[in-house]
Amino acid sequence: MVTSTENHITSTELLRDAEELRAQVQLIVNSTYVTDVHTHIFPPAFQHLCLSGIDELLTYHYLVAETSRSANIAYERFWRMSKTEQADLVWQTLFVENSPVSEAARGVISVLDAFGLDTRAPDLTEARAFFNSRTLREHIDQVFDLALVSDVVMTNDPLDKAEVQIWKDDIDLDRRFRSSLRLDSLLNDGQRGADVLSLRRFLDEWIQRMDPVYLAVSLPAEFQFPSDDTRDRLLREVVLPAAKDHGLPLTLMIGVRRQVNLKLRDAGDGMGRADVSALERLCAEFHDVKFLATFLSRENQHELCVAARKFKNLMPFGCWWFLNNPSIVSEITRERFELLGPSFIPQHSDARVLEQLIYKWRHARKEIADALYDSYARLLDSGRAVTSEEISRDVRRMFSGNFNDWVG
Ligand code: FIX
Ligand code: ZN
């Protein structure tokens, strides 16, 4: 029986031929819409926070760090440049004088290619004319369609003055942009001696205003739990009770070492291997709170898979930041299939600039499809074929079902 749902054919026919199986996996992975569970993008209502276009794409902090390695320019001189001058330097350095083989540089190529623009252009004249010619709302529609993204989760900081002002203007939110309440300023900037009651009131007020899908915080590589520090106290007395009372998951992004090079500003963060047992103790003690978790160290990924096998209130997600590279995404996704089956969220984009959705998801889908095909091919080799209906079911679960069930 062959039926058509969600723009692709699903069939109950057993796929016993390897090449047909591969073709069906690629068709379904490349035609199933995804919920992007962690981004830094905003809709136009957020004014200057809504970033798009070639100058923003090229001054992405990943590319700033890479340009600093190949361009003979002092950090301070780069920061004195205008954004246009910075973008011109990045293009000349990484795309003209060198081959754009890094993941972040190749990402810009994928975006230009998606819009039919010259990927070998000597300068940014054509790209700037194109992006300047777009009306933002139509552009957002096209970007979401090209990336096959149904909706994204923003990163919303109730202590960011610019953002707070926008929320207070009672904005008309584009429903494709769901909010999350980011707690780094509250939990990491040492609110020593903070009054628990007033912090809880503050949190309740912003949960009311933002209607977030989860509470979130990035944590340093040396994060420990339990611990006798302020963060531990605020987690126990403010954040986790609020998560429980509001029925909100807590999203933990663990392993960042902020500002290892201050001169690189946003591009200056590093990473470190964290202690996954701290997360295990959190999941054990707060067994009635749901946790989404991702780590920044490749070495922590296998431990995260094993921890998720022990705690059903733990949902691993994404290949975060320095892990979002094909060679590592492939390894992480394969070990997740082997240890967790389809009970995880394979990727998030972490996009900061609208059009990054296109490349981050195009590149991710390639690795996810390859890993998923290998899993089904191994299953076939062990004596069990799958149908394209079952492939669709598994992909929908990973691309949106696991998350939407998690956040209720
Ligand atoms: O903490 C985070 O949300 C990180 O993703 C960001 O701080 C980081 O700059 C980033 O965008 C990585 O992709
Ligand atoms: Zn992020």
Side-chain angles (χ1 to χ4, degrees), residues 149-166:
V149 168
S150 52
D151 50 344
V152 301
V153 180
M154 299 183 283
T155 297
N156 304 108
D157 181 353
L159 289 168
D160 176 296
K161 290 189 178 51
E163 187 174 352
V164 164
Q165 201 39 58
I166 294 168

Side-chain angles (χ1 to χ4, degrees), residues 38 40 60-62 155 182 184 218 253 258 266 269 320-321 349-350 352 360:
H38 171 62
H40 298 268
Y60 183 38
H61 67 70
Y62 291 33
T155 297
R182 189 65 178 254
D184 287 41
S218 72
M253 305 169 70
R258 295 292 179 189
D266 271 358
D269 295 332
W320 183 27
W321 202 340
S349 71
D350 234 312
R352 285 179 171 274
K360 288 186 184 257

